Amino acid sequence: MSSLSENIKMKKSLRKSVSKVLNSLSEDVILAQSNQLAQRAFSLEPLKQSKNVCVYLSMKQELQTNSLLEWLFQQNKRVFIPKVTGKSPEAMSMPELHSLEELNGMEKTKWGIPEFTEDQLSNRCDGIESGLIDFVLAPGVAFNADCLRLGHGGGYYDNFLTRLQGIRSAKGLKPAFVLGIGLDEQIVDAVPVSDHDVTLDGVLTSKQLFLQRKA
């Protein structure tokens, strides 16, 4: 059993090594893998059956979610995207995105990611507090075959997933299906985890699918 300090060091080391590999990938390689993954995702039964899907908006050197977003709207699913409101792990909401047109008109952060303004958030449905989200497309730095996930270290997604599943359980709804998505280079042999880290239901890349929960 690793001590807390050793665990933190292992996580930092893995983030650094995986990020180095991702930064070396060309735009063409990332786009090709992203499109291949999207085609595989479209055939997954839990995603096809879902009605309310949470998906992240991608940065440059990670799996691109553009094709996934387009497909979700084509399938008439309700789409929810992350909005970070502070530095604490619980400071992330999942407001509903109404269309690709709305997305294209949004202001961008310093990382080039579209983001809702505070004014745009008023009277907008939040997928966490409502418990509506029934499928999560989750980002990460690294994943393994046991569907463990290494995030960026802020704790936002682990907190979000715990809150969402708790609210759905209280409403008598089955747990949302949580699928980690990433590039092939993000699959590693082992992922160091802490007590608060959430195990995913599945992990998908352009070449591999790992499942902990029947799809």
Side-chain angles (χ1 to χ4, degrees), residues 14-43:
L14 184 55
R15 287 190 187 102
K16 187 175 180 179
S17 62
V18 173
S19 295
K20 184 176 180 180
V21 172
L22 296 182
N23 286 332
S24 72
L25 297 178
S26 70
E27 184 177 336
D28 289 343
V29 167
I30 293 174
L31 186 58
Q33 286 195 37
S34 300
N35 290 334
Q36 288 163 12
L37 180 145
Q39 291 302 317
R40 297 191 70 188
F42 300 159
S43 65

Side-chain angles (χ1 to χ4, degrees), residues 10 18 24 56 78 83 116 122 129 157 160 169 214-215:
M10 290 166 63
V18 173
S24 72
Y56 69 94
R78 293 179 71 176
K83 166 69 175 177
F116 287 119
S122 61
E129 298 306 320
Y157 265 83
F160 147 58
S169 176
K214 188 175 180 181

Side-chain angles (χ1 to χ4, degrees), residues 44-55 71-72 76-80 94 126-128 130-138 160-161 164-165 167-169 173-179 201 213-214:
L44 290 178
E45 206 57 39
L47 182 56
K48 289 196 292 185
Q49 293 178 3
S50 67
K51 296 181 179 179
N52 308 294
V53 181
C54 159
V55 60
W71 182 83
L72 291 172
N76 295 315
K77 297 185 187 295
R78 293 179 71 176
V79 175
F80 298 84
M94 285 290 170
D126 180 79
I128 305 174
S130 64
L132 280 174
I133 295 172
D134 55 11
F135 197 102
V136 178
L137 291 161
F160 147 58
L161 293 172
L164 173 65
Q165 304 294 35
I167 290 171
R168 286 183 64 82
S169 176
L173 301 170
K174 70 178 184 179
F177 193 100
V178 184
L179 182 70
D201 296 312
R213 175 176 161 188
K214 188 175 180 181

Side-chain angles (χ1 to χ4, degrees), residues 104-118:
N104 293 332
M106 288 162 58
E107 295 180 7
K108 293 186 178 181
T109 67
K110 60 182 179 182
W111 296 284
I113 301 174
E115 186 178 54
F116 287 119
T117 62
E118 291 303 317

